[in-house]
Amino acid sequence: MERIDLSIVVGYGTNFVIGIDGKIPWWLPADMHWFVTLTKQNGAGSVCIVGRKTYESFPKGLPERVVIILTNNDLYQPNPTNAMTFVCSSWDAIYRLLKREKVCHGKKVFCIGGGDIYTQALSFTPGDNFHVSKIYATVVSAMFAGDTIFTPPAYLGMWKTEILQDHPIDEKNLYPFRIFKYSR
């Protein structure tokens, strides 16, 4: 069985907080621009696997990308939606959809949260259908109160590490941040 390569895209504070009350606890337009550029793949689009709560935090959805919403609710109706929005109740269903739907073929696959979805993705083992080979992590240089954290893999220090961006505070971005790419 062919494994599907996943890249995780995550942002967290220095205390690993990624959210509070279903929202990101900071607003960094430069990081959001980077996220859009990465996941739109220069107009080619990508596949974004996202949990229901995280999907609902995007008021305009995720245009120009194939969106797969992972939820336990088989009757969930996403809003907004488009012809490239799918709902799946398991990773096995996602695997079958990625293999079946032509709109997904040849596209990079990103896991964009939330906390439970990241934990599930990072728990895949060599016999599973998915393999996390990259983590794109925006590390915001501040600590935040929150109710959702990202738990990086214990072996992350063994991955190849690159700094993609080092962004200082400016008039639009109130916190400095770095974007890392971890590869294995």
Side-chain angles (χ1 to χ4, degrees):
M1 190 176 293
E2 181 186 350
R3 294 175 79 189
I4 293 176
D5 190 54
L6 281 179
S7 295
I8 287 178
V9 183
V10 62
Y12 50 82
T14 55
N15 57 346
F16 296 99
V17 167
I18 64 172
I20 184 166
D21 298 327
K23 293 181 176 40
I24 298 172
W26 56 83
W27 174 246
L28 299 169
D31 180 52
M32 188 56 65
H33 180 278
W34 179 85
F35 169 81
V36 169
T37 301
L38 176 70
T39 59
K40 284 188 178 179
Q41 291 290 296
N42 296 321
S46 66
V47 175
C48 292
I49 299 170
V50 60
R52 177 192 55 80
K53 292 177 197 170
T54 301
Y55 177 77
E56 290 174 351
S57 74
F58 291 98
K60 296 178 182 174
L62 294 160
E64 299 178 49
R65 287 156 274 200
V66 176
V67 179
I68 302 173
I69 302 163
L70 181 57
T71 178
N72 293 324
N73 180 355
D74 290 329
L75 303 175
Y76 178 68
Q77 296 294 314
N79 184 21
T81 187
N82 63 48
M84 297 191 312
T85 302
F86 302 90
V87 176
C88 291
S89 60
S90 70
W91 284 95
D92 285 338
I94 291 172
Y95 182 81
R96 289 190 303 274
L97 183 134
L98 289 171
K99 292 298 182 184
R100 179 183 73 236
E101 294 292 331
K102 287 187 180 11
V103 72
C104 299
H105 295 175
K107 295 190 183 304
K108 290 190 178 185
V109 181
F110 295 101
C111 175
I112 61 169
D116 290 341
I117 306 302
Y118 292 136
T119 299
Q120 292 169 27
L122 288 168
S123 70
F124 293 129
T125 61
D128 291 327
N129 293 331
F130 293 93
H131 169 71
V132 175
S133 64
K134 292 181 190 73
I135 298 175
Y136 294 94
T138 297
V139 180
V140 183
S141 296
M143 294 179 71
F144 297 93
D147 52 25
T148 310
I149 63 164
F150 176 73
T151 305
Y155 49 85
L156 189 60
M158 297 169 33
W159 294 33
K160 179 183 173 193
T161 305
E162 297 174 62
I163 299 173
L164 301 180
Q165 280 189 35
D166 199 353
H167 200 287
I169 294 173
D170 62 27
E171 64 279 354
K172 294 182 181 176
N173 299 274
L174 302 181
Y175 302 98
F177 64 90
R178 276 190 169 166
I179 301 175
F180 293 88
K181 176 183 173 184
Y182 299 96
S183 308
R184 63 173 171 172

